[in-house]
Amino acid sequence: MKLLEWLRGEGRIQGFLRDLLFVAVVVGVISILSQVTLGVWTPMVAVESGSMHPNMKVGDIIVIQGASRTEVVTWKEGEARGYSTFNNPGNVILYKPYGKEKLTLADQAAHIFLRRPYPPDKATPVIHRAISWVDEGEPMWEGGPAAPFAGYITKGDNNSEIDQNAGQLLGVVRESYFNEQMARGMIEEMGNGTYLDHELGYTFIRRGDEVYVIFGINYLMPVREDWVIGVARYRVPLVGYVRLLPSIVGNEIREFFS
């Protein structure tokens, strides 16, 4: 009770704490309502690149419905049904590239203000259109390699290549390193010859007797169903610049002092 009486006081500290508590309660209520209605705790993402231009622009806020609350309609299915969103057939999905966990606000703040590199086993979610579904063993594109597991083929509306064909092989992994990381439990097998190194963030793919390091958005792998965070539903122009502003300012500061 004494604490409550103290919080009701007129001092600056009490006022600041009351404001902070109010904001925390509002954010909590919004998060709970979002989870109940949309199936996600954080229903909005800011568009950070031009890969979906002009249907989604840098600085837009996109409202996401959780994957557990809806189905994903691919471009091919959308064409057959006459169903479109954001000016093209099918759904735009938010997914975790290579299944990596999302960057936290703390990760982003440390990168912007302390110049720390992003954790290698995390990545910014990608918001691209689901083009088609492939089963394990099916070619990921015409004349392309077989899918190591079932999942979605994805593409930015403004990109010339699908995500699965937008990347490169960086080289062959030393067998000693690969075996050592496997023994330490730092490499996760993602299915059918694909692996994720949680220590350094590398993505590997085994072909025959050799293991290659690969680089890209989701190169040589479809987007597994459990990597899909949700489906894009609404677009709010420009508001996302509030979310992107710290990164923009941080980059300008680094440029100035570099």
Side-chain angles (χ1 to χ4, degrees):
M1 292 297 294
K2 288 183 178 180
L3 178 60
L4 290 175
E5 290 176 7
W6 179 80
L7 278 173
R8 293 191 189 104
E10 297 300 324
R12 290 184 180 179
I13 295 177
Q14 291 97 318
F16 172 75
L17 290 176
R18 285 197 301 269
D19 291 343
L20 196 63
L21 184 61
F22 175 76
V23 170
V25 169
V26 170
V27 170
V29 170
I30 291 173
S31 295
I32 292 170
L33 288 174
S34 169
Q35 178 63 30
V36 170
T37 58
L38 297 173
V40 287
W41 291 106
T42 51
M44 293 177 287
V45 295
V47 177
E48 300 183 24
S49 77
S51 64
M52 287 294 295
H53 189 86
N55 301 318
M56 295 179 181
K57 300 177 182 179
V58 174
D60 289 348
I61 281 286
I62 307 299
V63 178
I64 301 296
Q65 182 178 19
S68 63
R69 299 297 179 87
T70 186
E71 66 169 341
V72 175
V73 179
T74 66
W75 178 299
K76 289 186 176 180
E77 293 169 336
E79 281 188 317
R81 296 187 198 178
Y83 170 82
S84 65
T85 62
F86 299 97
N87 302 315
N88 277 325
N91 288 137
V92 176
I93 62 174
L94 182 73
Y95 73 86
K96 297 182 286 187
Y98 299 118
K100 294 184 178 184
E101 291 305 312
K102 295 190 293 182
L103 292 165
T104 65
L105 287 176
D107 296 329
Q108 296 173 15
H111 176 74
I112 294 169
F113 299 110
L114 302 178
R115 300 190 180 187
R116 291 179 184 171
Y118 288 131
D121 61 338
K122 297 181 180 180
T124 301
V126 173
I127 187 161
H128 279 176
R129 196 173 299 272
I131 301 300
S132 62
W133 174 271
V134 293
D135 289 322
E136 179 185 333
E138 288 185 339
M140 286 182 281
W141 62 89
E142 187 175 352
F149 42 77
Y152 295 102
I153 300 301
T154 51
K155 178 180 175 294
D157 288 352
N158 195 37
N159 290 348
S160 59
E161 293 283 350
I162 59 173
D163 299 341
Q164 289 66 38
N165 195 26
Q168 57 183 314
L169 296 172
L170 298 181
V172 178
V173 182
R174 285 185 293 109
E175 194 69 24
S176 58
Y177 171 83
F178 187 80
N179 292 336
E180 177 186 339
Q181 291 292 83
M182 283 289 287
R184 293 176 58 206
M186 297 307 298
I187 289 182
E188 175 190 0
E189 184 172 3
M190 300 157 67
N192 294 329
T194 59
Y195 305 84
L196 177 63
D197 184 331
H198 285 287
E199 184 169 60
L200 298 177
Y202 294 138
T203 306
F204 304 131
I205 189 163
R206 182 180 286 280
R207 290 291 181 263
D209 295 330
E210 293 188 316
V211 178
Y212 297 90
V213 186
I214 62 177
F215 171 79
I217 300 174
N218 215 74
Y219 186 46
L220 296 181
M221 299 182 202
V223 175
R224 279 195 338 206
E225 198 165 20
D226 59 334
W227 296 353
V228 178
I229 298 170
V231 173
R233 291 304 184 201
Y234 308 105
R235 167 181 169 260
V236 183
L238 302 177
V239 178
Y241 275 111
V242 175
R243 160 67 180 78
L244 300 178
L245 190 59
S247 179
I248 294 170
V249 172
N251 289 336
E252 290 297 322
I253 292 173
R254 284 201 298 272
E255 287 285 331
F256 181 80
F257 287 104
S258 62

